[in-house]
Amino acid sequence: MISSRAGKRVVTAAKDFRTFYAEATGIQLRMIYAENISSFTEQSKYIVIGENSLLHMAGLETDLNLLGIQGFQIQTVGNSVFILGTDAGAQYGTYQLLTELFQFDYYGKNSYTLSRNVNEVPLKNYDITDVPDISIRRPNYLFLMSDSVTSDRM
């Protein structure tokens, strides 16, 4: 779930999450917009990426000063998982959640690791905060500068 006004990086993160989740489990998740949800309970089951109205319904706040430009938080609330941060931070948090769930590790367009044939994805009580020591994580290796998808995923 994302906001209908989400930035490019959050949209990319949501699409990537759906793609890699389907590759790992065979299950295609639906993309829904937070603005279409009128209430949130502990029984709601969502993966929520980025800033949107559902964060506030769940009682979560993001300290962007703490997280910085590319830091993120992954929080479990009831049966839902929230990935918080700026657009860049939420994108990095999405890839971290994929790592937590499916041992995702990305090396390039056609080179990544991911658990497959996963029949069960247990909900864990996530409470992860990642504040990078270097405020901007973008490496400037030539091959990454020419491929924004690989650059964002790394």
Side-chain angles (χ1 to χ4, degrees):
M1 171 180 308
I2 62 173
S3 170
S4 61
R5 297 178 304 277
K8 179 181 177 249
R9 293 188 79 164
V10 169
V11 171
T12 298
K15 287 178 181 178
D16 281 350
F17 189 86
R18 290 180 62 216
T19 297
F20 292 121
Y21 192 95
E23 190 172 328
T25 66
I27 297 169
Q28 185 66 47
L29 300 174
R30 290 183 305 130
M31 176 86 75
I32 54 179
Y33 295 111
E35 293 82 3
N36 296 333
I37 304 300
S38 59
S39 66
F40 175 84
T41 69
E42 296 279 318
Q43 289 71 41
S44 301
K45 296 181 181 182
Y46 299 115
I47 305 287
V48 182
I49 303 172
E51 182 74 27
N52 60 58
S53 58
L54 208 61
L55 291 175
H56 308 295
M57 286 185 219
L60 292 174
E61 295 295 328
T62 306
D63 184 353
L64 295 179
N65 291 324
L66 167 71
L67 298 178
I69 297 169
Q70 296 183 343
F72 61 84
Q73 292 177 309
I74 302 173
Q75 297 286 315
T76 301
V77 177
N79 291 324
S80 296
V81 177
F82 292 79
I83 305 168
L84 316 168
T86 64
D87 282 3
Q91 186 176 28
Y92 284 118
T94 299
Y95 300 130
Q96 182 61 45
L97 183 59
L98 285 166
T99 299
E100 299 287 328
L101 296 173
F102 307 117
Q103 292 74 51
F104 176 74
D105 206 353
Y106 190 82
Y107 308 105
K109 278 186 180 176
N110 298 313
S111 181
Y112 57 90
T113 59
L114 181 76
S115 298
R116 290 179 171 72
N117 301 315
V118 175
N119 294 321
E120 188 173 315
V121 182
L123 175 65
K124 295 180 181 176
N125 188 17
Y126 292 107
D127 186 11
I128 298 170
T129 299
D130 180 78
V131 179
D133 293 331
I134 299 171
S135 62
I136 298 179
R137 305 179 204 224
R138 184 172 299 276
N140 61 359
Y141 306 117
L142 185 58
F143 80 99
L144 291 177
M145 292 173 68
S146 64
D147 180 3
S148 64
V149 172
T150 296
S151 179
D152 286 347
R153 288 179 180 167
M154 295 186 96

